[in-house]
Amino acid sequence: MTAYRYLQLDVFAHQPGTGNPLGVVFDADGLSTDRMQALAAWLNLSETVFFLRPTAAGADYHVRIFTPASELPFAGHPSVGAAWAAVTCGLAQPRDGALVQQCAAGLLPVQVTGPANAPTIRLASPVARPLPALPGDIPDTLRAAAAEGQRAELWDNGPCWWLLPLRDAEAVRTLAPDMAALRDWSIATDALGIAVFALEADTGHDLVVRAFCPADAPNVPEDPVTGSANALIGAWLRQRNALPGDNRTYVASQGREVGRDGRVQVTVDAQDTVWIGGQVQLVIDGNITW
């Protein structure tokens, strides 16, 4: 048994308790994949990241990302939280406000602004691509709430999410999906889950989002705030020239339906790279024995 430094962060949170919790384990090179997966399952957070020594040229730090059930090549809130931890804990020193994250999805650029003890992070998502998969037998609760003329599309930026615009913000806020049917559909279509969204021009945000993944995380069937899905939605909107907000930047609200109030800043740059960012709060700083 070994003691590892452990942080628990709240990501995309303007104050503790409003975002998505993230477990962070440092100096994890001695842990096998099975032990990392077992610890992520025991912690039962939506994701846990493990810091390893970088192995790729140009990388400032290296992380592996686990849900309670599987390893992900990329996930948004773990990547934003990992960059915050790397800076605040002295693992990486930004050069002109830039870092490079190594993860299973490759080398991802990171932008860092603000003070070293409370930086604001923006991270470039892996390239988003729509997949040719047909949605098949989409659960009835989703079909009934879909925007007119829209169907679910499967998109990939490391994890694969179904994306579905709903008819309005109220339909998103009040959606009560059949989790068993959604689980079976996700498994049948090799998807992590589904993200639904709609415009909602309100104080502090432009879009409302919810993301469901009962197949991968049955104890957290609705993800509080989801960076990868928000990045894919940004690419979906850009494809349709439908980005809300100003200067190709907008804020998505996610998590109120599960007692949170997350904010994800999404920017699509001139090269159509999608950047996701937000605030991070430190909640727990200690050690974990595993």
Side-chain angles (χ1 to χ4, degrees):
M1 306 291 284
T2 302
Y4 299 89
R5 187 179 180 192
Y6 175 76
L7 304 183
Q8 196 158 311
L9 307 177
D10 202 11
V11 182
F12 300 129
H14 60 276
Q15 63 184 35
T18 60
N20 198 349
L22 174 70
V24 180
V25 180
F26 293 91
D27 300 318
D29 295 274
L31 286 173
S32 68
T33 297
D34 286 346
R35 294 295 287 164
M36 291 183 198
Q37 183 64 78
L39 178 52
W42 185 84
L43 288 168
N44 199 34
L45 301 171
S46 54
E47 279 100 4
T48 300
V49 298
F50 296 83
F51 274 94
L52 312 169
R53 288 187 297 272
T55 58
D60 292 291
Y61 62 94
H62 177 197
V63 291
R64 294 179 69 179
I65 305 167
F66 289 82
T67 73
S70 63
E71 183 173 6
L72 297 177
F74 167 74
H77 102 273
S79 295
V80 170
W84 187 94
V87 173
T88 60
C89 296
L91 274 67
Q93 181 66 40
R95 299 174 303 280
D96 296 324
L99 291 173
V100 176
Q101 172 177 294
Q102 178 186 353
C103 60
L107 298 178
L108 304 180
V110 179
Q111 296 176 348
V112 183
T113 56
N117 64 342
T120 297
I121 303 296
R122 290 204 315 165
L123 179 132
S125 166
V127 174
R129 58 192 182 98
L131 302 178
L134 296 175
D137 191 18
I138 183 172
D140 291 340
T141 51
L142 296 174
R143 181 182 292 108
E148 185 177 356
Q150 299 287 352
R151 66 177 181 86
E153 294 183 10
L154 189 63
W155 282 65
D156 175 19
N157 62 357
C160 294
W161 287 94
W162 287 103
L163 305 182
L164 181 65
L166 300 192
R167 59 179 173 266
D168 53 32
E170 183 181 3
V172 176
R173 295 287 189 194
T174 60
L175 182 67
D178 180 336
M179 289 296 186
L182 204 160
R183 176 200 62 213
D184 294 345
W185 178 57
S186 298
I187 292 171
T189 55
D190 288 326
L192 191 64
I194 185 167
V196 298
F197 56 96
L199 294 176
E200 186 178 56
D202 201 349
T203 302
H205 67 270
D206 309 284
L207 198 77
V208 58
V209 174
R210 294 176 71 186
F212 304 94
C213 49
D216 188 71
N219 293 320
V220 193
E222 179 170 354
D223 196 44
V225 198
T226 317
S228 59
N230 272 284
L232 290 174
I233 291 168
W236 186 99
L237 291 166
R238 172 65 188 93
Q239 185 190 67
R240 291 158 172 80
N241 293 315
L243 289 167
D246 298 318
N247 299 319
R248 299 164 67 106
T249 295
Y250 66 90
V251 175
S253 165
Q254 187 182 348
R256 291 182 183 175
E257 293 70 30
V258 290
R260 313 288 171 79
D261 191 16
R263 295 287 190 277
V264 183
Q265 181 178 302
V266 181
T267 299
V268 183
D269 67 20
Q271 289 72 46
D272 287 343
T273 299
V274 181
W275 296 78
I276 53 171
Q279 295 178 278
V280 179
Q281 308 295 331
L282 174 62
V283 179
I284 296 172
D285 185 351
N287 293 291
I288 193 165
T289 302
W290 195 251

